[in-house]
Amino acid sequence: MPITPLMPVYPRCAVRPVRGEGVYLYGERGEQYLDFAAGIAVNALGHGHPHLTKVLQDQVATLMHVSNLYGSPQGEVLAQRIVDVSFADTVFFTNSGVEAVECAIKTARRYHFVNGNPQRHKLITFKNAFHGRSLGAISATDQAKMRDGFEPLLPGFAYAKFNDLEGALALIDDETAGFMVETVQGEGGMTAGTPEFIQGLRKACDEHGLLLILDEIQCGYGRTGKMWAYEHYGITPDIMTAAKGIGGGFPLGACLATEEAAKGMVIGTHGSTYGGNPLAMAAGSAILDVMLEDGFLGNVTKMGERLRQAFEQMIPNHDHLFEEIRGKGLMLGIKMKEPAVSRDFVAHLRDNHGLLTVAAGENVFRVLPPLVINEDHIAECVERLSEGARTFGIPSDD
Ligand SMILES: *Cc1c(COP(=O)(O)O)cnc(C)c1O
């Protein structure tokens, strides 16, 4: 077989979406799916949201792209709005999550460099982490499936176990720049950081002059029912990455930092041709318009609780399949019991029950609906999921 024109790095399934409407996706033959994957936590407002659509249409017709060599009234507005709703004093806009991670790593290294400590270049990161697919980001995880064949990777990372504070602190040495951690691990298995862990990392940073980088690309931006996942922990980071839901489907990411942490990021140290262009800024502003409306985040919390309760009720009926529920808000995961495999179950729900979810590490499947779902969508999800559980044949060992 010759290689496909589309580089075959994804195990693409038979779902071929051509249209979206709210919480539903439609395939080439008109078949309907309940989309509780949301482009992997991207389509925060679902598909075809009227406000996002209108703002983008208007902006396309007005001004799509200009160079970052010019002033950016659109970028100034969105950056100020993000600063107003976060710990941050400053924001760098990117086109993807991994570029925000790259900016975060560079910001941390520059901080210690301009402080006269260039040897402090090492980040302590965590097993099972996912920070994206650049060479820097795959260097920041221990996951072999992402690293194999790409060595030599970027030096300057050490890996501790997630939620193991002692283990992480034991790795601190004279070369440590800080920690980089997902507040709630997504791809790795939907595990929330424990309060002792996240707060302990913050405390260690304060004591040792280190930087805390939170990767909230998946768990931030309203996904857990708060604007940022760190708000659940009563701490703030020094640097943070955001993406996925921030553009609601338009490619947009951001690296946020305090004034102190960003002190090395002066003219000429970083850049991006497309980053923060007027169209992306319009998308970001449109998402915030909706997300900051009264009751939006409250609905996420409420729907998250409903969905979790419904899952809790369902689990005992399918004791052989499901082990536990993980995550926060509308970032939920269900861990499956072997020999059931989450990847197979995701395929079964998709192909036979019209329900889209996403597989994750540790035999978990992720439920990441648009943040605008209501009780009816939850009822429909649970119905399809229960039916799927009933019809799912446990694979035999042969
Ligand atoms: C998706 C994700 C990334 C990478 O984002 P891309 O837009 O795919 O580059 C990084 N970190 C976390 C936690 C993610 O979930």
Side-chain angles (χ1 to χ4, degrees):
M1 278 277 281
I3 192 165
T4 49
L6 202 50
M7 193 183 273
V9 292
Y10 276 101
R12 292 179 186 275
C13 68
V15 176
R16 298 166 66 82
V18 290
R19 190 166 67 83
E21 219 179 280
V23 184
Y24 296 93
L25 271 183
Y26 298 87
E28 281 174 323
R29 287 167 286 111
E31 71 280 20
Q32 188 202 55
Y33 301 92
L34 180 66
D35 187 8
F36 271 41
I40 317 192
V42 168
N43 303 98
L45 306 186
H47 303 282
H49 190 278
H51 182 62
L52 178 60
T53 305
K54 173 81 170 63
V55 166
L56 280 174
Q57 282 171 339
D58 289 350
Q59 190 63 48
V60 165
T62 307
L63 183 65
M64 190 152 61
H65 173 82
V66 294
S67 166
N68 280 312
L69 296 172
Y70 307 119
S72 175
Q74 308 85 0
E76 286 165 6
V77 169
L78 184 58
Q80 183 65 55
R81 292 180 80 183
I82 291 176
V83 162
D84 288 345
V85 296
S86 73
F87 73 98
D89 301 311
T90 191
V91 181
F92 181 85
F93 290 113
T94 65
N95 315 289
S96 68
V98 78
E99 290 167 84
V101 169
E102 290 288 327
C103 182
I105 297 169
K106 288 179 70 174
T107 302
R109 287 191 173 184
R110 278 289 294 191
Y111 171 78
H112 292 294
F113 174 83
V114 299
N115 274 349
N117 299 308
Q119 77 286 357
R120 288 207 189 182
H121 67 278
K122 209 190 278 176
L123 286 173
I124 297 170
T125 60
F126 294 88
K127 293 182 188 272
N128 248 1
F130 182 70
H131 299 295
R133 299 300 197 129
S134 67
L135 282 168
I138 63 174
S139 305
T141 180
D142 73 328
Q143 292 202 62
K145 67 179 184 210
M146 289 165 200
R147 300 168 50 111
D148 279 358
F150 297 114
E151 286 92 355
L153 297 180
L154 192 66
F157 296 92
Y159 317 97
K161 253 176 76 183
F162 188 70
N163 273 339
D164 173 10
L165 182 61
E166 292 304 305
L169 301 186
L171 290 179
I172 297 174
D173 64 22
D174 296 345
E175 296 186 337
T176 304
F179 301 97
M180 180 163 73
V181 64
E182 292 158 87
T183 322
V184 182
Q185 277 197 341
E187 195 273 347
M190 304 298 262
T191 310
T194 62
E196 306 75 59
F197 176 65
I198 300 291
Q199 290 160 2
L201 294 180
R202 175 71 269 171
K203 189 156 162 277
C205 286
D206 295 340
E207 285 169 8
H208 299 274
L210 306 177
L211 296 171
L212 179 62
I213 305 174
L214 294 180
D215 181 347
E216 295 215 355
I217 289 171
Q218 192 162 152
C219 63
Y221 241 73
R223 180 56 51 189
T224 67
K226 300 219 183 262
M227 191 64 209
W228 309 105
Y230 68 71
E231 295 171 36
H232 294 284
Y233 298 85
I235 58 114
T236 56
D238 302 294
I239 301 171
M240 183 172 74
T241 57
K244 296 208 160 99
I246 192 176
F250 194 89
L252 176 61
C255 176
L256 290 65
T258 62
E259 181 166 14
E260 172 68 10
K263 72 194 216 189
M265 300 307 278
V266 297
I267 289 171
T269 53
H270 199 49
S272 166
T273 297
Y274 293 134
N277 80 19
L279 189 56
M281 297 301 90
S285 275
I287 295 291
L288 268 189
D289 292 341
V290 178
M291 217 173 255
L292 297 179
E293 273 170 13
D294 268 356
F296 184 96
L297 292 175
N299 182 63
V300 177
T301 301
K302 194 166 138 201
M303 292 304 118
E305 279 162 10
R306 292 286 157 82
L307 196 54
R308 182 184 279 268
Q309 279 162 10
F311 288 163
E312 269 160 10
Q313 280 172 11
M314 180 194 71
I315 280 186
N317 303 332
H318 308 280
D319 218 14
H320 62 296
L321 285 182
F322 304 130
E323 191 167 312
E324 62 168 352
I325 302 165
R326 296 179 171 184
K328 280 185 192 295
L330 287 176
M331 181 177 178
L332 294 175
I334 299 184
K335 183 168 168 61
M336 301 199 71
K337 279 187 190 162
E338 285 176 19
V341 174
S342 64
R343 209 161 282 282
D344 298 338
F345 189 62
V346 167
H348 173 69
L349 291 175
R350 178 187 76 213
D351 297 339
N352 303 316
H353 299 277
L355 175 62
L356 302 182
T357 59
V358 194
E362 299 189 335
N363 208 23
V364 167
F365 70 93
R366 286 180 267 184
V367 181
L368 297 161
L371 304 182
V372 294
I373 56 166
N374 60 37
E375 312 255 4
D376 293 341
H377 301 125
I378 290 184
E380 191 177 340
C381 165
V382 172
E383 195 184 303
R384 293 187 190 204
L385 190 54
S386 304
E387 190 57 17
R390 199 180 61 72
T391 55
F392 186 59
I394 296 175
S396 60
D397 286 344
D398 55 31

